[in-house]
Each structure stands twice: as C-alpha cells, then as structure tokens.
Amino acid sequence: MDGLGRAGVTRLIVVGVGSALEIAPGVAFHDQPGWPSAHREFSLGHTAELEVLRASGGGLDWVIVAPPPAMIGERAERTGEYRSGDHRVLPRAEDARPFSYADLAVALVDEIERPKHSREMVAIDH
C-alpha cells in the first residue's frame, strides 16, 4: 500500500472472487458446507486482501469487482451486459448462462472509465 502511494497511484481496481461475497450477513460463499477446502483457502486470501484495503485509510480509492462464485464459462459469449450489487452474491436464475470473461472485462473498463464505486467490493453478474 505504501508503494502505491509513493508511485502516485490514487485508484486501484482489483478483480476479486465471487466466493468471498456474502450469502448471508457475515457468511461468505466459501463458508458454506461442502465448499472445497483448497478453494476456500484461495478465497480467504481474497478476503484478507479486502481487509487490507479497508484498513488502508483514505489515501487510495479502490474497488474490488467480484464476478459470480460459479463465475466464468471459458467459452461463454460476451453479452456486454451485467448488473452490479454490493458485497453480497447477486441472485441469479437457475438456468442463467455462465458469466463470460468478456463481460468481466466490460465491467472493469466501465469502472475505470466511469467510476461508480469507491472503497468497496462489488458483485457483478448478468
């Protein structure tokens, strides 16, 4: 964090993981029974990153963009559409198509060009 400040960075946009989003107050997706322990450890690293950013003070404007937990279909097609929420998993239809890497890129570029979020983790999905 100190290095970012010394380098003159004022805004940081991070790609997060959906498994760090909440499914109930204080309960992350990665805390549910049956979630693989190796995946949980990876997700906990992202949760630690969030805590570091939250504790960083006001010098850096940041946002973590978190796609859905069962996120991306490698061959999913770009729709150019997404919706955003807060730190909670967004509800989705059972027959919802996979979220694409291309749609994640659209959300990131939109946040870069037209910032809508500040100092928070934001869920995105179709």
Side-chain angles (χ1 to χ4, degrees), residues 65-68 79-86 88-93 96 99 103 107 117 122-126:
V65 178
T79 66
E81 298 176 3
Y82 65 92
R83 59 194 166 102
S84 61
D86 55 19
R88 297 172 291 187
V89 173
L90 290 168
R92 61 187 343 238
F99 197 75
D103 288 331
H117 303 94
V122 177
I124 58 169
D125 203 341
H126 288 293

Side-chain angles (χ1 to χ4, degrees), residues 23-116:
I23 55 174
V27 179
F29 186 91
H30 62 233
D31 291 332
Q32 63 186 321
W35 187 249
S37 62
H39 295 229
R40 185 172 189 278
E41 291 301 317
F42 182 77
S43 185
L44 287 171
H46 281 267
T47 301
E49 171 187 54
L50 173 61
E51 295 308 316
V52 166
L53 289 169
R54 284 180 174 157
S56 67
L60 179 68
D61 185 19
W62 56 269
V63 63
I64 298 175
V65 178
M71 178 198 139
I72 293 182
E74 289 184 25
R75 294 195 169 105
E77 298 209 11
R78 177 184 187 269
T79 66
E81 298 176 3
Y82 65 92
R83 59 194 166 102
S84 61
D86 55 19
H87 63 281
R88 297 172 291 187
V89 173
L90 290 168
R92 61 187 343 238
E94 286 187 31
D95 62 344
R97 65 191 176 280
F99 197 75
S100 71
Y101 285 108
D103 288 331
L104 173 59
V106 168
L108 292 169
V109 170
D110 284 351
E111 187 63 36
I112 291 166
E113 292 181 345
R114 293 176 301 286
K116 293 182 182 173

